[in-house]
Amino acid sequence: MKSLLRCKTLLIDLSLGALKRLPQFQTGSFNQAFGLIGWFAILGSGNLLAAVPAITSATTATGPIGVAFNYQIIANNAPTSFGATGLPTGLTVSPTTGLISGTPITAAANSVTLQASNASGTGTKILTLTVNPATPVISSANSASGQVGVAFSYQITANNTPTSYSATGLPAGLSVSATTGAISGKPTMAGPYSATINAKNAGGTGSATLSINVLPATPVIGSAATATGQIGVTFSYQIAAINLPTSFNATGLPSGLTVDTIAGLISGNPTIVGTSTVTLSATNAGGTGTKTLTITVNPA
């Protein structure tokens, strides 16, 4: 007996393997398996079944550790159930909806086999699911001090295993190691600076503000190391120093002499003959520079 299926406008002759066009859909009988036609599998029993599901959702997905994750398995041909093997710890799949969800607890790249099934069979697909580590959180101090011309050192520290570091807004003369997070160098200009420091891994970049106060270099006194005066004659000596001192002092001055702590001028009328060893000082925010001055007071 010839086995025929009349479907839509085609007549399918199962015994001859021929296709014949008909003007409209008709029904017929058939009693042997034919294979797959379009969206339907024709079985010897005479039933029309949907084709095996084909998964069409993305082949890659990414999520951070400790954060809720969702991925929807999508497939054609009316799947009735879903599955997934090789999921990261913390994730599960709904067999009825195909939704993969949960909170991953381990950072790693995972190869997951997705499944979508119906009465005709199961379609599979590999999903590369990458769980990134948590974003680094910087824990090092938020302030640091340095001085012009003096070696500076600061270490960026952060949790969650950073793989690189960076910093912007650093004082001139300083730089950061991208691999170790060490900020080093010798600042060349005094002042307050606000730098942004960063620690990065596959999960993202953590940032913090670092306040760096660069002090000026300590004053260096350059005025003469000796001076001479005379009883009854006005004496004057100017303390001179570089690096912008903001105050001055002098200890061990001969009787009758004083120092202006703002201007650095030693003046007055010495009253006792002799030689005095005077300690000069010039101070700024970076420190105090000193020098010994020998003052000889001669008789009138």
Side-chain angles (χ1 to χ4, degrees):
M1 160 182 163
K2 223 179 221 188
S3 297
L4 300 175
L5 170 66
R6 293 176 176 83
C7 183
K8 293 188 178 179
T9 61
L10 295 179
L11 172 63
I12 306 169
D13 189 330
L14 300 181
S15 62
L16 299 177
L19 301 179
K20 298 180 181 179
R21 185 174 298 278
L22 292 177
Q24 60 184 8
F25 181 85
Q26 300 182 35
T27 60
S29 63
F30 55 94
N31 58 12
Q32 71 179 84
F34 184 78
L36 182 64
I37 300 176
W39 293 86
F40 297 94
I42 303 174
L43 304 180
S45 63
N47 296 322
L48 294 179
L49 300 176
V52 175
I55 296 173
T56 58
S57 45
T59 58
T60 61
T62 303
I65 193 171
V67 177
F69 174 88
N70 286 288
Y71 174 93
Q72 180 64 54
I73 303 173
I74 301 171
N76 57 20
N77 299 329
T80 55
S81 66
F82 301 87
T85 59
L87 287 171
T89 303
L91 299 186
T92 58
V93 60
S94 168
T96 54
T97 67
L99 179 66
I100 296 172
S101 62
T103 301
I105 62 175
T106 303
N110 304 271
S111 182
V112 179
T113 301
L114 307 177
Q115 300 113 28
S117 302
N118 63 14
S120 297
T122 299
T124 63
K125 192 173 191 177
I126 299 298
L127 167 67
T128 300
L129 199 165
T130 302
V131 179
N132 290 322
T135 301
V137 177
I138 294 174
S139 57
S140 43
N142 59 12
S143 63
S145 295
Q147 188 171 16
V148 170
V150 177
F152 175 89
S153 179
Y154 175 93
Q155 179 63 53
I156 303 173
T157 56
N159 60 9
N160 299 326
T161 316
T163 54
S164 66
Y165 302 86
S166 62
T168 58
L170 291 173
L174 300 186
S175 61
V176 61
S177 167
T179 54
T180 68
I183 297 174
S184 59
K186 292 182 178 181
T188 60
M189 293 185 65
Y193 296 86
S194 181
T196 299
I197 54 178
N198 309 296
K200 183 179 181 180
N201 65 14
T205 300
S207 299
T209 298
L210 171 64
S211 298
I212 302 177
N213 186 31
V214 179
L215 302 173
T218 301
V220 177
I221 297 174
S223 46
T226 61
T228 301
Q230 188 175 6
I231 294 292
V233 177
T234 300
F235 176 89
S236 180
Y237 175 94
Q238 178 64 54
I239 305 172
I242 59 174
N243 299 326
L244 303 175
T246 55
S247 66
F248 300 87
N249 203 0
T251 59
L253 288 172
S255 178
L257 301 186
T258 60
V259 60
D260 184 329
T261 57
I262 302 301
L265 179 66
I266 297 173
S267 61
N269 293 304
T271 61
I272 299 176
V273 173
T275 299
S276 301
T277 299
V278 179
T279 300
L280 307 177
S281 60
T283 302
N284 65 14
T288 298
T290 62
K291 186 173 185 175
T292 298
L293 168 65
T294 301
I295 300 177
T296 300
V297 177
N298 294 320

